[in-house]
Amino acid sequence: MLVKLAVVRPALSSRSLSPQELGDFEQELVDQFALAAAASGITDDYINQERSVIFSFLRFLGNYVWTAAPEDVDRFLNRERKVRGLAKSTIHSKAGTLARFFDFLSARYQGEIHNLTGHVVVQPVDEFNRPAKADYGGTIRVPPSRTDVEALFMEWRQALPESRKYLPAARDYLAASLWRRVGLRINETVMLDIRDWRPDLGERGKLHIRFGKGSMGRGPKTRMVPAINGIDDLLNWWLTDVRHQFGDDWNDPDAPLLPSERRDPELGRNRRAGDDALRSGFTKAVNTWLPEWSGRLTPHGMRHFCASSMYERGLDLKAIQDLLGHEWLSTTTRYIHVHDNHVEAAWAVANDRVSQRWGTGTR
């Protein structure tokens, strides 16, 4: 647990501060940054990660934090990249942590730091040394065509009755269908319980996603996903024909919607299927029925397919953002990949609308 410390007040001049007092003041600044983060709802684990980055930078700096300049961050990030060989996404995250910390110092403690040390805090993470965000390591997850995906799932569904292990095969098919049709993340799928299917909500029912991906360590982000695109029929099939075959916990609202075949003796119900099992089942299906995409098509790739197919069918970007649970619309736009003729097709539709509105068309 984080313990709140007393706020440091400027009572001494810079000349009268001992190295111990300067060190204590620096520690107080880091602690106050952590407390502010906790007050905003950021999780303790994420706060600890940020503190670790800050202390790593201070050890590298070899001086007090208020002395840091852009060239110090240049050297630090260069070491993290070239010497330590850290991933682009990790470098980007560390730069973001330092930038937030120095923004905090400038906003809240600039005056006190200057009075106590004689220094003016500058933002050492600037437009020149801030790394560009590494989106999936530079790889664009362009999904297969609609024809390929439909063929994959049709073959998969038809093969289910003949599967050597029908129950896990049906479960893996359902999970992949949730990725394909409404863009769930694999971890969101794993954490679904039976009670999360709410057929009483909306026209088709809704899935309560309780463990959505939160931003900046703020914990799970919940949302309600409408059972569009055939999800209502799939869940009715699953709960009516399949789920009860896993065990007698089919009527337990706290039991996992996608169970393992193994039992939890303490809880008296099936264990939750892990993401490795669902990922493995999907990989096997792709290798069997869409071999040209072997090693390339992932569960997250199906999330991209969902976004792209929804956009092509006319769903607006804001609706797709809400469906996928994105914090920012700019994230959603990176998930959408359309065919080369999309611009031409959109232009033709727009022209047709103008012609009909003003009566200049042939229709």
Side-chain angles (χ1 to χ4, degrees):
M1 294 292 294
L2 296 172
V3 179
K4 185 171 183 179
L5 304 178
V7 177
V8 174
R9 297 298 178 190
L12 302 171
S13 68
S14 59
R15 292 182 180 178
S16 61
L17 288 178
S18 68
Q20 179 63 51
E21 288 171 323
L22 288 171
D24 290 344
F25 179 43
E26 183 179 65
Q27 177 68 56
E28 167 71 8
L29 295 175
V30 179
D31 288 343
Q32 292 297 333
F33 176 67
L35 284 170
S40 72
I42 295 178
T43 62
D44 286 350
D45 286 345
Y46 194 86
I47 292 171
N48 288 334
Q49 292 175 20
E50 293 213 311
R51 282 167 59 90
S52 177
V53 171
I54 293 168
F55 286 128
S56 175
F57 173 69
L58 293 179
R59 287 192 297 270
F60 176 84
L61 181 64
N63 206 338
Y64 298 113
V65 64
W66 45 81
T67 68
E71 51 267 28
D72 296 314
V73 171
D74 294 347
R75 294 186 298 108
F76 175 70
L77 296 180
N78 189 60
R79 184 198 70 168
E80 300 297 278
R81 177 183 295 107
K82 293 187 176 180
V83 178
R84 300 189 63 195
L86 299 182
K88 291 181 180 179
S89 58
T90 303
I91 303 296
H92 181 273
S93 176
K94 290 192 173 191
T97 294
L98 294 177
R100 286 188 293 275
F101 179 54
F102 280 94
D103 281 344
F104 171 82
L105 295 183
S106 296
R108 291 200 180 183
Y109 290 96
Q110 182 70 274
E112 294 183 35
I113 291 172
H114 182 260
N115 288 337
L116 286 170
T117 70
H119 283 269
V120 175
V121 175
V122 299
Q123 173 57 270
V125 183
D126 56 26
E127 59 189 287
F128 301 104
N129 60 18
R130 183 188 297 268
K133 186 172 183 180
D135 294 318
Y136 313 115
T139 300
I140 300 177
R141 287 187 171 98
V142 179
S145 67
R146 178 187 296 272
T147 301
D148 286 342
V149 171
E150 288 179 351
L152 164 63
F153 278 84
M154 182 184 68
E155 296 286 347
W156 193 354
R157 179 67 184 263
Q158 291 177 349
L160 287 180
E162 306 301 324
S163 300
R164 185 175 65 86
K165 300 187 71 173
Y166 171 74
L167 294 182
R171 176 200 65 206
D172 298 343
Y173 173 82
L174 174 66
S177 297
L178 294 175
W179 309 334
R180 167 201 178 189
R181 294 180 180 273
V182 288
L184 295 196
R185 299 178 177 93
I186 188 168
N187 289 335
E188 295 172 345
T189 310
V190 166
M191 297 304 296
L192 286 171
D193 288 340
I194 290 177
R195 65 187 171 99
D196 292 325
W197 167 229
R198 296 294 305 275
D200 56 311
L201 298 180
E203 295 183 5
R204 301 174 180 273
K206 295 186 178 182
L207 274 171
H208 184 199
I209 307 302
R210 292 177 293 115
F211 291 90
K213 182 179 179 182
S215 62
M216 288 182 60
R218 285 187 168 84
K221 180 182 176 182
T222 64
R223 70 183 188 279
M224 301 297 293
V225 173
I228 58 175
N229 205 14
I231 287 299
D232 52 344
D233 292 335
L234 277 168
L235 288 172
N236 289 332
W237 160 74
W238 173 252
L239 292 171
T240 302
D241 298 341
V242 184
R243 178 60 181 84
H244 66 278
Q245 298 184 55
F246 278 90
D248 57 6
D249 64 343
W250 60 273
N251 204 29
D252 181 353
D254 294 322
L257 183 67
L258 285 81
S260 165
E261 291 183 292
R262 297 181 179 179
R263 298 280 293 181
D264 186 329
E266 294 184 2
L267 297 177
R269 55 177 178 249
N270 287 76
R271 297 182 185 274
R272 194 177 302 278
D275 58 348
D276 287 342
L278 302 184
R279 197 183 305 274
S280 176
F282 180 70
T283 298
K284 181 180 179 182
V286 171
N287 292 343
T288 303
W289 294 296
L290 197 61
E292 60 269 29
W293 279 84
S294 293
R296 294 192 293 154
L297 186 56
T298 65
H300 197 80
M302 294 311 302
R303 189 166 153 84
H304 281 244
F305 171 80
C306 174
S308 301
S309 63
M310 289 291 182
Y311 185 72
E312 287 183 333
R313 292 164 70 173
L315 209 65
D316 65 74
L317 285 174
K318 183 62 173 66
I320 299 173
Q321 176 190 5
D322 293 341
L323 182 68
L324 299 185
H326 285 152
E327 183 75 15
W328 304 105
L329 190 62
S330 59
T331 304
T332 305
T333 61
R334 294 198 297 270
Y335 276 60
I336 294 172
H337 316 275
V338 296
H339 295 299
D340 291 341
N341 65 345
H342 179 73
V343 173
E344 290 91 338
W347 171 258
V349 170
N351 254 358
D352 189 51
R353 287 175 181 169
V354 171
S355 297
Q356 292 186 48
R357 179 177 180 180
W358 299 106
T360 57
T362 58
R363 295 176 60 183

